[in-house]
Amino acid sequence: LLCMIQALGKLDPYVQFLAYAAYFIALMKLNRVDSRYGKAAGFCLAGAVLLLLNSLRLTYATTFYEGNVEFFSLISSAFLLISCYYEYHAHKDIVGEVDAELGQRWIKVWYWKIAALGIGIASVLLVFISVVFVAIILVLVALFAIVVGIIVIVALYRSAKAYRAVVTFVEKEDAA
């Protein structure tokens, strides 16, 4: 979901910030289940604030921001990546109690997210070799990020379905 929220930032940084704020609230509600969701929420909010500050610098450029644009973007990305780490590992442990294979899928998604980020960074470094090559790689990275986003949505759906089955089973046992 964070990848989709980041795409919103291309449209409007305020919409992106509001989406991150809603995501923060959702993660804080999950904090009752596992404390790592609270950590994920904190890093998500910190990253969102830095992204908003970074986009505001375009409107209200100051001397402080002029030399630190890349720094704020890098720190914001790191916070959002750490947020994903805590969230996905909490998903893995919680879902792993119900379905071990599905729990391991969350770790695979984490590795795919890291791979997409690494390829994106490498492509920027390759801009000195060939601009066309980098453009092709960036298109492939964007497609890869969309695929990872779809896999996350499927994993969330399957996780909810697994929990629903367990809750239904427990409720039937309690009623008997």
Side-chain angles (χ1 to χ4, degrees), residues 56-68:
L56 289 176
R57 69 130 177 99
L58 296 173
T59 309
Y60 307 105
T62 65
T63 308
F64 176 72
Y65 281 119
E66 286 176 9
N68 297 309

Side-chain angles (χ1 to χ4, degrees), residues 103-142:
Q104 287 305 313
R105 186 169 294 151
W106 279 108
I107 298 305
K108 288 179 186 175
V109 171
W110 166 247
Y111 290 134
W112 291 337
K113 190 172 192 77
I114 295 294
L117 179 67
I119 293 168
I121 291 171
S123 67
V124 171
L125 297 176
L126 293 174
V127 76
F128 299 110
I129 296 172
S130 170
V131 175
V132 174
F133 180 67
V134 171
I136 292 169
I137 290 176
L138 287 176
V139 168
L140 292 175
V141 167

Side-chain angles (χ1 to χ4, degrees), residues 1-175:
L1 293 175
L2 287 176
C3 292
M4 293 174 199
I5 294 172
Q6 289 169 346
L8 289 174
K10 306 302 181 218
L11 302 173
D12 185 353
Y14 301 110
V15 172
Q16 182 184 33
F17 180 78
L18 290 174
Y20 276 121
Y23 199 63
F24 167 81
I25 292 168
L27 287 172
M28 285 308 292
K29 287 186 178 197
L30 289 172
N31 189 40
R32 290 179 273 175
V33 178
D34 190 315
S35 65
R36 287 176 289 188
Y37 288 119
K39 292 177 185 176
F43 281 107
C44 177
L45 186 63
V49 167
L50 284 176
L51 277 177
L52 185 62
L53 289 174
N54 202 26
S55 64
L56 289 176
R57 69 130 177 99
L58 296 173
T59 309
Y60 307 105
T62 65
T63 308
F64 176 72
Y65 281 119
E66 286 176 9
N68 297 309
V69 172
E70 293 81 14
F71 176 74
F72 280 111
S73 295
L74 183 64
I75 297 299
S76 175
S77 296
F79 281 167
L80 294 172
L81 198 60
I82 292 168
S83 175
C84 284
Y85 172 84
Y86 282 121
E87 178 189 355
Y88 289 2
H89 278 75
H91 288 333
K92 177 197 77 95
D93 289 343
I94 291 170
V95 173
E97 295 173 6
V98 177
D99 184 345
E101 182 182 334
L102 187 56
Q104 287 305 313
R105 186 169 294 151
W106 279 108
I107 298 305
K108 288 179 186 175
V109 171
W110 166 247
Y111 290 134
W112 291 337
K113 190 172 192 77
I114 295 294
L117 179 67
I119 293 168
I121 291 171
S123 67
V124 171
L125 297 176
L126 293 174
V127 76
F128 299 110
I129 296 172
S130 170
V131 175
V132 174
F133 180 67
V134 171
I136 292 169
I137 290 176
L138 287 176
V139 168
L140 292 175
V141 167
L143 292 173
F144 188 62
I146 290 169
V147 169
V148 170
I150 291 169
I151 290 170
V152 167
I153 291 170
V154 170
L156 282 171
Y157 173 76
R158 289 184 179 166
S159 298
K161 190 175 177 182
Y163 276 122
R164 197 174 312 122
V166 169
V167 169
T168 303
F169 178 75
V170 169
E171 287 175 349
K172 286 181 181 178
E173 278 189 354
D174 289 342

